[in-house]
Amino acid sequence: MPEATTNSRTTRAGQHRYVAPLEETPLQSVDAVSKESDGSSLWKDAFRSLIREPLFIISALLILLIAVVVALPALFTSADPTFCTLDNSLADPRAGHPLGFNQQGCDIYARVIYGARASVMVGAFTTIAVVILGGIVGAIAGFYGGWLDALLSRIIDIFFAIPFILAAIVLLQLFRGSISAWHIVAVLAAFGWTQIARITRGAVISTKNSDFVTASTAVGATPLKNLIRHVLPNSIAPVIVTATVSLGIYIVAEATLSYLGLGLPTSIVSWGADIASAQTLLRTNPEALFFPAAALAVTVLSFIMMGDAVRDALDPKARTR
Amino acid sequence: MLRYTSRRVLQMIPVLLGTTLLIYAMVFAMPGDPVAALFGEKPINENVADQIRAEYNLDEPFIIQYLLFVKGLFVGDFGITFTGQPVIDVITRVFPTTIKLASMALVFEMVFGIIIGVIAGIRQGKLFDSTVLMLSLVIIAIPTFVLGFVGQFVFGIELGWFPATARDASFISLLMPALVLAGVSLAYVIRLTRTSIVENLTADHVRTARAKGLSEGRVTTVHVLRNSLIPVVTFLGADLGTLMGGAIVTENIFAVDGVGSALYDAILRSEGTTVVSIVTLLVIVYILANLLVDLLYAVLDPRIRYA
């Protein structure tokens, strides 16, 4: 490129040596973000990769289906799950009763459909309670640090060290005979919040020293405003992932308590109680155990898969591959 | 190292006091009069009842009862059960069984978990990997007690490969309960090992090891595995406590006379001292296992030093 070379050799007034000419590119086209293009964020990127992920699509569709079953069970069956007569005890499937009957003569299919509500509601409300309680404690411990962190961390250690299912059994003795769904939610949350608290604390600690928080402090934001406006929104990702997975785990925990005889009262249709009562029939009528157990496993699986897919999408290390 | 260890042991004290206080308070708040329950159907003799209450310090206020219990702990006195048996006898009867059960479960986790996880990690994206990932999720999603029923029914009763119950706590009879107990954690170990291996396979030091011309086997076992094991070891350490405390369900299904069964019975009888003594020991096991894991870090990762 001879012309370019000669052109750039031209010296300006007052210059004795060669100086490269100024960059002619207008600043806007380099630094400015075009207003037409969509902004990008962690969540937008994650969502873009999620909608191409089969695992996420399958789990999302399943959760949607489960939500419909929970909200409107009557759409899926016209049989009454609490209508049980011993005439039907262990009867074979017939028209209108596709899965047959259990020992008490209740329609298994109807009980599987109506049992979804109790199990999923306990899981969902426990998760909400755990996220609120654990989130607040973890955020305060991580953000303020110092003696407050030391104190809260020891309290978390104490609750964490007691085996979860054991604490639930002891606490539920207090309500023995009159256990309601709210008791189970309260007991599961009382000993389940520590995991979320630890994760929130870790995430808040790693976020609070970011440059954008320092910048916000520099323009006069109070610590509380920093915490709510800047630190928490940027620490929420791992909490959401853990919460999604633990929703499934709490459904399992509720069923386990039912097995131990400390679950929901028999007047409420629930998978846990149905599985536990079908235990003795395993040899002759495995379907009485299989269907509620399968429904529970598929529900739990959808939430775990969803959490897994979201975790992968939010992890920049996993995304490059 | 010594300073670090002693500081950690000192930190155990408030956690231990907190857990015992918490459990003690929960047991104390349990409804029903345990002494009245001792009389069964017979009318309650108030004099005898008062005498029993005094004997077990049940006539004292809550905090005094708790402090007397802690005082007993320091001199190795765990108290007496309502049937007159020293709690320490119960402990020495049930702990060996559960320790055996939990260690067998832990060995299952270590051996199968790490081997399957490593293979899945090396074959990332292949059929074996996706099958293992899916199966491990399914195992996590099925409640342990369902795994227990089905395992006991299929292998214990139908096929007759294993004894259906483990009352005698022999090695063979504990195999099935240990596998059921390990189930969910095994799935976690597989997934954790796999993720960790996948992450480390592309690390710089692994590329260097390959560039030096090391064999693929040596690269995997020495350079990838050692670094990948750190999160797995953390999980296994914390899991020992979970396994021992979580054995309630498994022991219930397979009729194992262990910590879980003893605890469950004691809870039903509102026998505070037994419940709190056993839980205290479980918490000590949990804390010590975690301490051991932290000290193991230094062995696995030479960059970590404890001053």
Short mmCIF file of all heavy atoms in Angstrom, two decimals, chain B residues 208-246:
data_model
loop_
_atom_site.label_atom_id
_atom_site.label_comp_id
_atom_site.label_asym_id
_atom_site.label_seq_id
_atom_site.Cartn_x
_atom_site.Cartn_y
_atom_site.Cartn_z
N THR B 208 -0.39 -29.46 30.33
CA THR B 208 1.07 -29.55 30.46
C THR B 208 1.50 -31.00 30.65
O THR B 208 2.46 -31.45 30.04
CB THR B 208 1.54 -28.70 31.66
OG1 THR B 208 0.95 -27.42 31.55
CG2 THR B 208 3.04 -28.59 31.67
N ALA B 209 0.75 -31.71 31.51
CA ALA B 209 1.10 -33.10 31.77
C ALA B 209 1.03 -33.91 30.49
O ALA B 209 1.91 -34.74 30.20
CB ALA B 209 0.16 -33.69 32.82
N ARG B 210 0.01 -33.64 29.67
CA ARG B 210 -0.11 -34.35 28.39
C ARG B 210 1.05 -33.95 27.49
O ARG B 210 1.64 -34.78 26.82
CB ARG B 210 -1.42 -33.96 27.70
CG ARG B 210 -2.61 -34.63 28.29
CD ARG B 210 -3.62 -35.02 27.22
NE ARG B 210 -4.77 -35.60 27.88
CZ ARG B 210 -5.79 -34.87 28.36
NH1 ARG B 210 -5.80 -33.56 28.20
NH2 ARG B 210 -6.78 -35.46 28.98
N ALA B 211 1.37 -32.64 27.48
CA ALA B 211 2.43 -32.15 26.60
C ALA B 211 3.77 -32.77 26.96
O ALA B 211 4.63 -32.98 26.11
CB ALA B 211 2.52 -30.62 26.68
N LYS B 212 3.96 -33.08 28.27
CA LYS B 212 5.20 -33.73 28.68
C LYS B 212 5.27 -35.15 28.15
O LYS B 212 6.31 -35.79 28.24
CB LYS B 212 5.27 -33.79 30.22
CG LYS B 212 5.66 -32.51 30.87
CD LYS B 212 6.09 -32.74 32.31
CE LYS B 212 5.02 -33.39 33.15
NZ LYS B 212 5.37 -33.45 34.58
N GLY B 213 4.16 -35.67 27.66
CA GLY B 213 4.14 -37.01 27.11
C GLY B 213 3.72 -38.07 28.10
O GLY B 213 3.97 -39.25 27.89
N LEU B 214 3.10 -37.67 29.21
CA LEU B 214 2.63 -38.67 30.17
C LEU B 214 1.50 -39.49 29.54
O LEU B 214 0.76 -38.97 28.70
CB LEU B 214 2.11 -37.99 31.44
CG LEU B 214 3.14 -37.28 32.30
CD1 LEU B 214 2.49 -36.78 33.58
CD2 LEU B 214 4.30 -38.20 32.64
N SER B 215 1.40 -40.73 29.99
CA SER B 215 0.34 -41.58 29.45
C SER B 215 -1.00 -41.07 29.94
O SER B 215 -1.09 -40.43 30.99
CB SER B 215 0.54 -43.02 29.92
OG SER B 215 0.26 -43.10 31.28
N GLU B 216 -2.05 -41.34 29.17
CA GLU B 216 -3.39 -40.86 29.50
C GLU B 216 -3.82 -41.38 30.88
O GLU B 216 -4.45 -40.67 31.65
CB GLU B 216 -4.37 -41.32 28.42
CG GLU B 216 -5.68 -40.55 28.38
CD GLU B 216 -5.50 -39.05 28.26
OE1 GLU B 216 -4.52 -38.58 27.62
OE2 GLU B 216 -6.31 -38.33 28.82
N GLY B 217 -3.44 -42.62 31.18
CA GLY B 217 -3.80 -43.21 32.47
C GLY B 217 -3.18 -42.43 33.62
O GLY B 217 -3.84 -42.13 34.62
N ARG B 218 -1.91 -42.07 33.49
CA ARG B 218 -1.23 -41.35 34.55
C ARG B 218 -1.81 -39.93 34.68
O ARG B 218 -2.01 -39.42 35.79
CB ARG B 218 0.27 -41.29 34.26
CG ARG B 218 1.06 -41.03 35.51
CD ARG B 218 2.55 -41.15 35.29
NE ARG B 218 3.22 -40.30 36.28
CZ ARG B 218 3.32 -40.60 37.56
NH1 ARG B 218 2.80 -41.71 38.01
NH2 ARG B 218 3.92 -39.77 38.40
N VAL B 219 -2.10 -39.32 33.54
CA VAL B 219 -2.69 -37.97 33.58
C VAL B 219 -4.00 -38.02 34.36
O VAL B 219 -4.25 -37.21 35.25
CB VAL B 219 -2.94 -37.44 32.14
CG1 VAL B 219 -3.77 -36.17 32.19
CG2 VAL B 219 -1.62 -37.19 31.43
N THR B 220 -4.83 -39.03 34.05
CA THR B 220 -6.13 -39.12 34.72
C THR B 220 -5.99 -39.41 36.20
O THR B 220 -6.55 -38.69 37.03
CB THR B 220 -6.99 -40.24 34.08
OG1 THR B 220 -6.86 -40.13 32.67
CG2 THR B 220 -8.42 -40.12 34.49
N THR B 221 -5.22 -40.44 36.54
CA THR B 221 -5.20 -40.85 37.95
C THR B 221 -4.45 -39.85 38.81
O THR B 221 -4.88 -39.56 39.92
CB THR B 221 -4.55 -42.24 38.10
OG1 THR B 221 -3.32 -42.25 37.38
CG2 THR B 221 -5.47 -43.33 37.61
N VAL B 222 -3.31 -39.34 38.35
CA VAL B 222 -2.52 -38.46 39.22
C VAL B 222 -2.93 -37.00 39.08
O VAL B 222 -3.23 -36.33 40.07
CB VAL B 222 -1.01 -38.62 38.91
CG1 VAL B 222 -0.21 -37.69 39.81
CG2 VAL B 222 -0.60 -40.06 39.10
N HIS B 223 -2.98 -36.50 37.85
CA HIS B 223 -3.14 -35.05 37.70
C HIS B 223 -4.59 -34.59 37.73
O HIS B 223 -4.89 -33.52 38.23
CB HIS B 223 -2.46 -34.59 36.41
CG HIS B 223 -0.98 -34.78 36.45
ND1 HIS B 223 -0.11 -33.78 36.82
CD2 HIS B 223 -0.22 -35.87 36.22
CE1 HIS B 223 1.12 -34.25 36.80
NE2 HIS B 223 1.10 -35.53 36.44
N VAL B 224 -5.49 -35.40 37.18
CA VAL B 224 -6.90 -34.97 37.19
C VAL B 224 -7.58 -35.40 38.48
O VAL B 224 -8.18 -34.59 39.18
CB VAL B 224 -7.67 -35.57 35.98
CG1 VAL B 224 -9.13 -35.16 36.03
CG2 VAL B 224 -7.04 -35.09 34.69
N LEU B 225 -7.43 -36.67 38.84
CA LEU B 225 -8.20 -37.22 39.95
C LEU B 225 -7.87 -36.53 41.27
O LEU B 225 -8.77 -36.16 42.03
CB LEU B 225 -7.94 -38.73 40.05
CG LEU B 225 -8.92 -39.48 40.94
CD1 LEU B 225 -10.34 -39.27 40.45
CD2 LEU B 225 -8.60 -40.97 40.96
N ARG B 226 -6.59 -36.34 41.54
CA ARG B 226 -6.20 -35.78 42.82
C ARG B 226 -6.85 -34.41 43.03
O ARG B 226 -7.37 -34.11 44.10
CB ARG B 226 -4.68 -35.65 42.91
CG ARG B 226 -4.24 -35.13 44.23
CD ARG B 226 -2.77 -35.27 44.42
NE ARG B 226 -2.33 -34.41 45.50
CZ ARG B 226 -1.08 -34.33 45.90
NH1 ARG B 226 -0.17 -35.06 45.33
NH2 ARG B 226 -0.76 -33.52 46.88
N ASN B 227 -6.85 -33.59 41.99
CA ASN B 227 -7.45 -32.26 42.12
C ASN B 227 -8.97 -32.33 42.16
O ASN B 227 -9.61 -31.50 42.79
CB ASN B 227 -7.02 -31.39 40.96
CG ASN B 227 -5.65 -30.84 41.17
OD1 ASN B 227 -5.46 -29.91 41.93
ND2 ASN B 227 -4.67 -31.46 40.55
N SER B 228 -9.52 -33.33 41.47
CA SER B 228 -10.98 -33.40 41.42
C SER B 228 -11.56 -33.93 42.71
O SER B 228 -12.75 -33.78 42.96
CB SER B 228 -11.42 -34.33 40.28
OG SER B 228 -10.76 -33.97 39.10
N LEU B 229 -10.74 -34.56 43.53
CA LEU B 229 -11.29 -35.23 44.70
C LEU B 229 -11.64 -34.28 45.84
O LEU B 229 -12.39 -34.64 46.73
CB LEU B 229 -10.31 -36.29 45.21
CG LEU B 229 -10.37 -37.61 44.43
CD1 LEU B 229 -9.46 -38.63 45.05
CD2 LEU B 229 -11.80 -38.14 44.40
N ILE B 230 -11.10 -33.04 45.80
CA ILE B 230 -11.31 -32.14 46.94
C ILE B 230 -12.80 -31.94 47.27
O ILE B 230 -13.22 -32.17 48.40
CB ILE B 230 -10.58 -30.81 46.73
CG1 ILE B 230 -9.08 -31.10 46.74
CG2 ILE B 230 -10.94 -29.79 47.79
CD1 ILE B 230 -8.21 -29.90 46.52
N PRO B 231 -13.64 -31.53 46.28
CA PRO B 231 -15.07 -31.37 46.65
C PRO B 231 -15.72 -32.69 47.05
O PRO B 231 -16.61 -32.70 47.91
CB PRO B 231 -15.71 -30.82 45.38
CG PRO B 231 -14.74 -31.05 44.30
CD PRO B 231 -13.39 -31.11 44.90
N VAL B 232 -15.26 -33.80 46.46
CA VAL B 232 -15.85 -35.10 46.78
C VAL B 232 -15.55 -35.48 48.23
O VAL B 232 -16.43 -35.94 48.97
CB VAL B 232 -15.33 -36.19 45.81
CG1 VAL B 232 -15.95 -37.53 46.14
CG2 VAL B 232 -15.61 -35.81 44.37
N VAL B 233 -14.30 -35.23 48.65
CA VAL B 233 -13.92 -35.55 50.03
C VAL B 233 -14.73 -34.70 51.01
O VAL B 233 -15.21 -35.20 52.02
CB VAL B 233 -12.40 -35.33 50.22
CG1 VAL B 233 -12.05 -35.35 51.69
CG2 VAL B 233 -11.62 -36.41 49.49
N THR B 234 -14.94 -33.41 50.67
CA THR B 234 -15.76 -32.56 51.52
C THR B 234 -17.14 -33.16 51.70
O THR B 234 -17.66 -33.25 52.81
CB THR B 234 -15.95 -31.17 50.88
OG1 THR B 234 -14.70 -30.76 50.37
CG2 THR B 234 -16.48 -30.18 51.86
N PHE B 235 -17.72 -33.59 50.59
CA PHE B 235 -19.07 -34.14 50.64
C PHE B 235 -19.10 -35.41 51.50
O PHE B 235 -19.97 -35.56 52.36
CB PHE B 235 -19.57 -34.44 49.23
CG PHE B 235 -20.94 -35.04 49.21
CD1 PHE B 235 -22.05 -34.21 49.25
CD2 PHE B 235 -21.13 -36.40 49.20
CE1 PHE B 235 -23.32 -34.74 49.27
CE2 PHE B 235 -22.40 -36.95 49.21
CZ PHE B 235 -23.50 -36.11 49.24
N LEU B 236 -18.12 -36.31 51.26
CA LEU B 236 -18.11 -37.58 51.98
C LEU B 236 -17.97 -37.35 53.49
O LEU B 236 -18.62 -38.01 54.29
CB LEU B 236 -16.97 -38.47 51.48
CG LEU B 236 -17.17 -39.07 50.09
CD1 LEU B 236 -15.92 -39.80 49.64
CD2 LEU B 236 -18.35 -40.02 50.09
N GLY B 237 -17.12 -36.38 53.86
CA GLY B 237 -16.92 -36.10 55.28
C GLY B 237 -18.21 -35.65 55.95
O GLY B 237 -18.59 -36.17 57.00
N ALA B 238 -18.89 -34.70 55.29
CA ALA B 238 -20.14 -34.20 55.86
C ALA B 238 -21.19 -35.30 55.84
O ALA B 238 -22.10 -35.32 56.67
CB ALA B 238 -20.62 -32.99 55.07
N ASP B 239 -21.05 -36.24 54.91
CA ASP B 239 -22.09 -37.24 54.74
C ASP B 239 -22.06 -38.31 55.83
O ASP B 239 -23.10 -38.92 56.09
CB ASP B 239 -21.93 -37.89 53.37
CG ASP B 239 -23.24 -38.44 52.86
OD1 ASP B 239 -24.24 -37.74 53.02
OD2 ASP B 239 -23.25 -39.56 52.34
N LEU B 240 -20.90 -38.52 56.45
CA LEU B 240 -20.83 -39.55 57.49
C LEU B 240 -21.86 -39.26 58.59
O LEU B 240 -22.61 -40.14 59.01
CB LEU B 240 -19.42 -39.63 58.09
CG LEU B 240 -19.25 -40.69 59.18
CD1 LEU B 240 -19.42 -42.08 58.62
CD2 LEU B 240 -17.90 -40.57 59.86
N GLY B 241 -21.91 -37.98 59.00
CA GLY B 241 -22.89 -37.59 60.01
C GLY B 241 -24.31 -37.76 59.52
O GLY B 241 -25.18 -38.26 60.23
N THR B 242 -24.55 -37.35 58.26
CA THR B 242 -25.89 -37.48 57.68
C THR B 242 -26.30 -38.94 57.62
O THR B 242 -27.45 -39.29 57.90
CB THR B 242 -25.90 -36.90 56.26
OG1 THR B 242 -25.15 -35.69 56.26
CG2 THR B 242 -27.30 -36.64 55.79
N LEU B 243 -25.36 -39.82 57.25
CA LEU B 243 -25.68 -41.24 57.13
C LEU B 243 -26.08 -41.81 58.49
O LEU B 243 -27.06 -42.54 58.60
CB LEU B 243 -24.47 -42.02 56.61
CG LEU B 243 -24.15 -41.87 55.13
CD1 LEU B 243 -22.89 -42.63 54.79
CD2 LEU B 243 -25.30 -42.37 54.29
N MET B 244 -25.33 -41.43 59.54
CA MET B 244 -25.62 -42.00 60.86
C MET B 244 -26.96 -41.49 61.38
O MET B 244 -27.74 -42.23 61.93
CB MET B 244 -24.49 -41.68 61.82
CG MET B 244 -23.22 -42.41 61.43
SD MET B 244 -21.98 -42.45 62.70
CE MET B 244 -22.83 -43.21 64.03
N GLY B 245 -27.22 -40.19 61.17
CA GLY B 245 -28.48 -39.63 61.64
C GLY B 245 -29.65 -40.04 60.75
O GLY B 245 -30.78 -40.16 61.21
N GLY B 246 -29.36 -40.25 59.45
CA GLY B 246 -30.42 -40.55 58.50
C GLY B 246 -30.74 -42.02 58.44
O GLY B 246 -31.59 -42.46 57.66
#
